[in-house]
Amino acid sequence: MTRTMVLWCPDWSVTAGMLELADSDGAVDGALDANALDTSAPAAVLANNVVTVCNAAARSEGVRRGQRRRDAQARCPDVVLLPASPDRDARWFEPVLAAVEELRPGVAPLRPGLLAVPAPGRYFARRGLDGEEAAAAVLAEHLARAGVWDSRFGAADDLYTAERAARQAPPQGCVSIPSGDSAEFLRGLPVTVLADDGPEGAELADLLRRLGLVLLADFARLGAGDVANRFGSYGSDVWRRVQGREVTRLASRTPPPELACEISFEPPLDSAEAVTFSVRTTAERFVAGLAERQLVATSVRIEAEFESALGGEGVSTRTWLHPRCFTSRDLVDRVHWQLQAGMATSGLRSRKSTGETITSAVTLVRFLPDVVEPAGDHAEGLWGGGAEEQVVRGVARVQAMVGYDAVRVPVLQGGRGAADRQALVPWGERPVGLRPLERPWPGRIPGPAPSRVFAAPLEAEVVDEASVAVAVTARGVVTGEPWRMRIGRHWCPIASWAGPWPVDEGWWLSAGSAGSAGAGRAARFQVVGVDGRAWLLRWRSPGSWEVEAAYD
């Protein structure tokens, strides 16, 4: 299990505000220099005239989070009041992220003043360090030289426990929770620690105290159903964490620019094949540079600069994703696809015939890691890769031969009809822009889902016992009981049916307008014939029937 280490800088909003104030006076000159700050001066950050953060000096005078401005000034007339500014906090926290990345790549910023990294293992062991406390001491010393004096560390099996441990640590100290003891550690904490999660946590902590639950262990003894019904989704999340049932993975931030690699062409190359061949060494150097830091890239941005046909220069940029992690061969394939398709909008055209030229010569290709993860999370098993890995490599080879858009995988999205709920995305890409699944989608048919959805609906006809066509009124009432159906040329008696599930889609669209083809009043039926075959039928106003899918 990959352990997590969290770095917490207490009262960071106050620190950032004081640094900004000192910088405006010329005391710090735009640099992160805590030596220029007067830490003995009480200070607090206000949002909507309410104290959100205050430093230790202000707390010693009676200032507390949640106080009104006048109450805080009444307790401490000398308190320095600072406006809340998330942009300012993030801007001054950037040097801290850069300082940690100098010793430990894979930094995941959680919010200004709080970050996480994979717990040091072999990376620090090669530097003669044993234990997470020793590694935290090295990071604390490095941060002190960078100007951060109050840094606290916590290490645990999961992110949530590591953050709680960091808040229990002394200045420049580390609290390490042994592997497997996260749930026990959390249960020993008071419920008031939930207030650190924000307004939602403070509200839950207050409610638990009023119910007589003092420790998180008391909260953990409640049943899962009772917690979900009484305390909502946030309460359920906390309950699962206290039970040790939820582990949060890190999402590392964009790595520093020195991990990027580029190659320039002089003279510029006007052949897509020549560019693809020339970037192989650069792609290998890019992957090797990440491997030296025990990292792999799961998202890479490729930039290609070219001479515009109208004069000047142009740039084509695209971010590519990978279901596992990029190899040098994968990067070369992406460059080839981008030259063939991605640059068409920039005036660059490439025909697939070998050796044909492109209308705009390429001057530079650059690889920039967009998302990186620890290499250990993507390492092969002891006896090599299994069947899943062989499938991934095989599909990647097919995609390289037939083209990026030619290999697609189905994904589920929100919708009412069977065809509406499926979408095809290029293999290797993460689906974006899909309709959300969690919405109610009134009129959606219940399960089980059909096994075969027709690309083009089949014509059908449904009649009642008197051979009168069955329809659905505006109130969703069937005009007659479905008795027989015709799909193709043959009629079949109906053994059973369910429905209707009426829906009125796109009623605001006028006839002939874009998107009006599927609009109008409709209703869906599940129908089983006497031959045992089941169908998903759709009735459309004013009286046509069609087969959308089949239950095989």
Side-chain angles (χ1 to χ4, degrees):
M1 179 182 295
T2 301
R3 288 173 59 80
T4 302
M5 176 176 285
V6 167
L7 163 64
W8 177 49
C9 298
D11 312 326
W12 181 257
S13 294
V14 174
T15 302
M18 297 294 283
L19 285 169
E20 186 90 353
L21 189 62
D23 185 47
S24 62
D25 296 337
V28 299
D29 194 21
L32 183 60
D33 184 8
N35 295 321
L37 299 180
D38 183 9
T39 57
S40 63
V45 174
L46 294 179
N48 298 324
N49 283 327
V50 175
V51 176
T52 57
V53 183
C54 55
N55 60 5
R59 288 192 293 270
S60 65
E61 297 291 336
V63 179
R64 294 293 183 268
R65 183 171 51 186
Q67 284 181 343
R68 305 288 297 180
R69 174 198 291 263
R70 58 188 178 188
D71 295 332
Q73 290 178 322
R75 297 292 183 89
C76 181
D78 297 331
V79 65
V80 179
L81 299 179
L82 304 165
S85 175
D87 293 339
R88 175 199 64 205
D89 299 345
R91 183 172 62 254
W92 284 101
F93 195 58
E94 180 64 27
V96 180
L97 299 174
V100 175
E101 281 179 329
E102 292 177 0
L103 294 182
R104 188 66 171 103
V107 172
L110 305 177
R111 56 181 178 271
L114 192 69
L115 64 87
V117 294
R122 290 178 298 175
Y123 184 86
F124 275 81
R126 289 184 298 181
R127 289 157 173 76
L129 297 177
D130 293 326
E132 294 160 343
E133 294 85 352
V138 173
L139 288 172
E141 182 181 359
H142 186 70
L143 288 171
R145 288 196 295 267
V148 181
W149 290 102
D150 193 356
S151 57
R152 311 183 186 200
F153 299 85
D157 291 338
D158 62 276
L159 178 61
Y160 188 80
T161 307
E163 178 182 349
R164 297 299 169 201
R167 294 181 180 275
Q168 305 297 318
Q172 297 186 339
C174 176
V175 173
S176 179
I177 308 302
S179 182
D181 291 349
S182 295
E184 182 179 355
F185 168 76
L186 291 176
R187 291 176 185 178
L189 298 178
V191 296
T192 53
V193 301
L194 299 178
D196 297 327
D197 293 345
E200 198 171 16
E203 182 179 355
L204 177 60
D206 181 65
L207 177 59
L208 293 177
R209 284 191 299 104
R210 287 188 282 113
L211 293 176
L213 304 179
V214 179
L215 300 177
L216 289 179
D218 303 327
F219 184 51
R221 283 193 287 268
L222 300 178
D226 297 334
V227 171
N229 294 332
R230 182 63 180 86
F231 304 105
S233 59
Y234 173 76
S236 297
D237 292 341
V238 174
W239 184 87
R240 284 193 298 269
R241 289 164 179 164
V242 176
Q243 298 288 336
R245 300 180 183 177
E246 184 167 313
V247 177
T248 305
R249 295 188 62 185
L250 299 182
S252 302
R253 78 171 192 151
T254 302
E258 59 264 18
L259 295 179
C261 292
E262 63 181 40
I263 180 174
S264 57
F265 306 113
E266 185 61 40
L269 300 179
D270 58 358
S271 169
E273 287 71 21
V275 174
T276 303
F277 179 80
S278 301
V279 300
R280 293 182 183 274
T281 303
T282 306
E284 293 172 354
R285 178 162 52 91
F286 174 79
V287 173
L290 292 174
E292 290 178 358
R293 296 168 172 83
Q294 300 183 19
L295 299 172
V296 293
T298 58
S299 176
V300 174
R301 188 168 77 252
I302 298 179
E303 298 178 354
E305 298 181 3
F306 56 92
E307 295 179 342
S308 174
L310 301 178
E313 296 182 350
V315 179
S316 172
T317 302
R318 179 163 184 176
T319 299
W320 296 89
L321 307 176
H322 198 281
R324 295 190 64 203
C325 59
F326 279 100
T327 64
S328 58
R329 179 180 295 182
D330 296 329
L331 294 173
V332 172
D333 289 340
R334 267 62 175 182
V335 172
H336 191 211
W337 298 337
Q338 186 163 330
L339 291 178
Q340 286 186 338
M343 291 186 178
T345 57
S346 301
L348 178 61
R349 297 190 300 272
S350 173
R351 293 181 290 273
K352 294 184 179 180
S353 302
T354 304
E356 291 199 13
T357 59
I358 50 183
T359 58
S360 299
V362 178
T363 60
L364 181 142
V365 173
R366 182 183 296 110
F367 299 104
L368 300 100
D370 192 60
V371 175
V372 296
E373 297 179 1
D377 293 346
H378 297 267
E380 294 184 357
L382 181 61
W383 307 112
E388 180 181 356
E389 182 181 351
Q390 295 176 8
V391 170
V392 170
R393 291 180 177 177
V395 174
R397 289 295 89 212
V398 173
Q399 191 179 36
M401 291 186 291
V402 300
Y404 166 70
D405 292 326
V407 180
R408 294 173 176 265
V409 294
V411 295
L412 191 64
Q413 64 176 350
R416 297 178 177 86
D420 298 335
R421 300 191 67 195
Q422 60 182 6
L424 295 176
V425 299
W427 184 86
E429 285 288 333
R430 296 168 192 167
V432 294
L434 302 182
R435 293 186 290 270
L437 284 168
E438 63 274 6
R439 293 183 181 175
W441 297 107
R444 184 180 64 182
I445 61 171
S451 58
R452 184 159 47 109
V453 180
F454 300 110
L458 307 179
E459 292 185 3
E461 187 176 352
V462 179
V463 298
D464 59 14
E465 190 173 3
S467 298
V468 178
V470 176
V472 180
T473 67
R475 294 182 176 273
V477 178
V478 182
T479 59
E481 182 178 357
W483 190 260
R484 290 190 304 160
M485 63 179 173
R486 181 181 62 81
I487 301 176
R489 294 181 298 175
H490 303 288
W491 287 89
C492 177
I494 295 176
S496 60
W497 60 278
W501 287 277
V503 62
D504 193 358
E505 296 179 305
W507 50 267
W508 58 90
L509 298 175
S510 59
S513 62
S516 63
R521 191 162 53 87
R524 291 182 172 86
F525 292 78
Q526 292 173 333
V527 180
V528 180
V530 294
D531 56 0
R533 294 189 295 175
W535 308 91
L536 176 63
L537 304 183
R538 181 184 183 186
W539 174 86
R540 298 183 61 181
S541 179
S544 62
W545 287 85
E546 60 188 17
V547 183
E548 287 190 329
Y551 297 87
D552 294 335

